[in-house]
């Protein structure tokens, strides 16, 4: 149930007749946008499609309370650079009078204000579109009535990177370490190799101690306050602890995100087809002996580590690159023998 082609032609002719000063390409793009919403729309009452119900006058024609964006694409829009400045050239209007061929388009050249520090990433994307690295797609021009400024919403398509074929026979184990943050153990064709991953973890120790020191200083200042001050401003005093807790959670999330990203990139480069994560138990003495759980922790503030978050991030990133993901508790090749050897030495 879609709008017939004959009706689309009639709509285009009527639009061109009523709005002769509008560029035909801009009108076509706007009609295509509205057609998609009308074709899938259902009638308010009954089983008829939405556009049929409007033609039968069962419903009113949709109206818009907000200004509609001006669409453009590569046919009526062009990105260019000149003397270090970026420009957007648009053909939105036509000169009135005469036929379509006799009415030349009015070319409007707009400079993109991308010279600020916060817009460096956007400027890089626009420069890559001009160079041909990215494909320029349909976009729109939007007017902000509050700021009284025009904003160009530019859409583009990045080239698809060819990922190398992964070897399902290669497996890598991610194991939380006791003397270092993480240990990686690779197994390929019966051969295994292990090494430290994630650095020494000194930044984790220093950051946790800094948060704990700020907490303890706040407690001391409140502890020796006068009796007339205690109980007053409790909400304000607790806001500090909330901010410190949020700062620690953000640090853990950034660390886990960077860890999983680097691990997946390494697996893609080395064509490793399987990742096994040895997730520790949620609570217990074994978890407390891990480096990330005890590094710089005084045991009084409850600043634990989100090992479950590593699992969710690693699973989503591995799925994106087609890498098999699995969980293991203790069944890591070679790890049980090492633990038995340590027990005998003791």
């Amino acid at each position: 149930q879609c709008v017939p082609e004959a009706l689309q032609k009639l709509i285009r002719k009527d639009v061109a007749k009523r709005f002769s000063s509008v560029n035909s390409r801009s009108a076509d793009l706007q009609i295509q946008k509205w057609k998609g919403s009308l074709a899938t729309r259902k009638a308010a009452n009954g089983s008829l499609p939405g556009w049929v119900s409007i033609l039968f006058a069962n419903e009113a024609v949709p109206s818009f309370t907000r200004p509609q964006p001006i669409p453009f694409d590569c046919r009526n829009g062009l990105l260019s650079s000149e003397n270090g400045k970026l420009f957007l050239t648009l053909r939105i209007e036509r000169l009135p009078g005469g036929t379509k061929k006799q009415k030349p388009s009015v070319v409007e050249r707009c400079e993109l204000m991308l010279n600020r520090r916060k817009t460096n990433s956007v400027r890089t994307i626009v420069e890559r579109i001009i160079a041909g690295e990215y494909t320029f797609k349909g976009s729109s021009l939007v007017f902000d009535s509050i700021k009284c400024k025009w904003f160009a919403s530019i859409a583009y398509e990045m080239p698809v990177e060819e990922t190398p074929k992964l070897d399902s026979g290669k497996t890598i184990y991610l194991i939380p370490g006791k003397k270092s943050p993480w240990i990686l153990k690779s197994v390929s064709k019966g051969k295994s190799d292990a090494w430290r991953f994630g650095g020494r973890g000194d930044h984790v120790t220093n950051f946790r101690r800094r948060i704990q020191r700020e907490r303890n200083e706040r407690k001391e200042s409140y502890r020796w306050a006068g009796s007339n001050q205690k109980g007053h401003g409790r909400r304000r005093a607790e806001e500090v602890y909330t901010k410190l807790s949020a700062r620690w959670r953000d640090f853990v999330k950034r660390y886990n995100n960077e860890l999983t990203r680097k691990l997946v990139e390494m697996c893609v480069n080395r064509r490793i087809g399987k990742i096994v994560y040895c997730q520790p138990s949620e609570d217990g003495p074994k978890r407390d002996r891990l480096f990330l759980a005890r590094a710089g922790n005084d045991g009084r503030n409850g600043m634990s580590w989100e090992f479950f978050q590593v699992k969710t991030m690693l699973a989503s990133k591995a799925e994106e690159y087609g890498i098999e993901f699995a969980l293991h508790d203790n069944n890591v090749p070679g790890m049980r023998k090492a633990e038995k050897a340590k027990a005998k030495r003791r």
Side-chain angles (χ1 to χ4, degrees):
Q1 295 180 356
C2 59
V3 182
E5 293 184 3
L7 181 59
Q8 294 180 31
K9 292 181 181 179
L10 291 174
I11 293 173
R12 287 193 180 93
K13 287 182 179 179
D14 191 45
V15 169
K17 185 177 180 181
R18 294 190 181 189
F19 308 96
S20 58
S21 61
V22 180
N23 186 280
S24 59
R25 185 57 187 168
S26 298
D28 288 344
L29 291 173
Q30 195 70 37
I31 290 171
Q32 290 177 9
K33 180 182 177 181
W34 292 338
K35 184 189 71 175
S37 60
L38 287 174
T40 56
R41 176 180 174 179
K42 295 182 179 180
N45 296 317
S47 59
L48 290 175
W51 63 273
V52 176
S53 182
I54 293 172
L55 288 178
F56 287 168
N58 294 336
E59 296 183 23
V61 178
S63 59
F64 304 96
T65 56
R66 297 181 180 179
Q68 295 294 305
I70 302 173
F72 61 88
D73 59 359
C74 56
R75 292 188 184 181
N76 61 335
L78 178 66
L79 289 170
S80 59
S81 62
E82 183 179 342
N83 298 328
K85 297 181 179 180
L86 303 177
F87 295 93
L88 175 63
T89 306
L90 299 176
R91 292 180 176 87
I92 300 173
E93 299 178 351
R94 288 186 180 275
L95 295 176
T99 61
K100 182 178 178 181
K101 294 182 179 179
Q102 296 173 353
K103 294 185 295 183
S105 299
V106 179
V107 178
E108 297 183 4
R109 198 181 191 198
C110 312
E111 182 182 354
L112 301 177
M113 307 305 293
L114 299 175
N115 297 325
R116 300 178 181 179
R117 185 177 61 180
K118 294 183 179 180
T119 59
N120 288 336
S121 59
V122 182
R123 183 182 180 87
T124 304
I125 293 172
V126 175
E127 289 175 350
R128 290 181 179 179
I129 294 174
I130 296 172
E133 298 180 18
Y134 297 163
T135 306
F136 181 56
K137 293 294 183 180
S139 309
S140 60
L141 199 66
V142 185
F143 179 73
D144 192 339
S145 58
I146 299 176
K147 298 182 179 179
C148 294
K149 294 181 181 179
W150 287 93
F151 291 89
S153 178
I154 299 174
Y156 62 94
E157 182 180 1
M158 299 175 62
V160 180
E161 298 181 358
E162 295 183 0
T163 56
K165 294 183 179 179
L166 304 176
D167 188 0
S168 58
K170 294 182 179 180
T171 307
I172 194 163
Y173 292 84
L174 179 64
I175 309 165
K178 295 181 180 179
K179 295 183 179 180
S180 61
W182 300 94
I183 297 173
L184 285 183
K185 187 176 182 65
S186 64
V187 178
S188 176
K189 297 180 180 179
K191 298 181 180 179
S192 61
D193 186 20
W195 64 94
R196 187 173 61 185
F197 188 68
R200 296 173 56 184
D202 294 338
H203 62 298
V204 178
T205 305
N206 296 334
F207 191 83
R208 182 181 263 149
R209 285 177 178 172
R210 192 195 319 165
I211 297 292
Q212 291 176 161
R213 184 169 59 252
E214 291 184 19
R215 280 186 174 183
N216 295 333
E217 289 175 356
R218 293 283 179 176
K219 290 179 180 179
E220 287 294 328
S221 61
Y222 188 74
R223 177 183 176 186
W224 299 107
S227 59
N228 60 341
Q229 297 179 7
K230 290 187 177 181
H232 298 279
R234 177 181 294 273
R235 184 179 301 175
R236 182 180 177 184
E238 290 179 352
E239 286 179 357
V240 179
Y241 299 107
T242 305
K243 290 180 180 179
L244 294 175
S245 300
R247 196 186 304 174
W248 171 250
R249 288 196 302 269
D250 293 342
F251 172 79
V252 173
K253 188 174 182 179
R254 289 195 303 270
Y255 181 96
N256 291 340
N257 184 44
E258 190 69 14
L259 170 82
T260 53
R261 184 185 64 81
K262 288 184 177 180
L263 178 59
V264 172
E265 286 181 356
M266 185 191 67
C267 292
V268 172
N269 295 332
R270 298 188 180 186
R271 298 174 58 192
I272 298 174
K274 186 176 181 180
I275 298 176
V276 179
Y277 174 47
C278 300
Q279 181 180 347
S281 57
E282 295 184 1
D283 194 9
K286 290 185 177 180
R287 180 191 177 99
D288 297 337
R289 287 197 295 266
L290 297 176
F291 179 86
L292 292 175
R294 62 175 176 79
N297 195 352
D298 57 5
R300 294 179 296 174
N301 292 286
M303 300 174 65
S304 59
W305 196 266
E306 294 289 342
F307 290 102
F308 181 80
Q309 192 180 69
V310 177
K311 170 199 165 186
T312 56
M313 289 183 175
L314 198 57
S316 61
K317 289 180 174 65
E319 184 181 2
E320 182 180 355
Y321 288 90
I323 302 174
E324 184 183 354
F325 177 75
L327 283 175
H328 257 279
D329 295 330
N330 296 316
N331 191 15
V332 182
M335 294 300 291
R336 287 186 174 181
K337 293 182 180 178
E339 292 178 358
K340 289 181 180 179
K342 286 183 180 181
K344 288 181 180 180
R345 291 172 190 172
R346 292 175 184 174

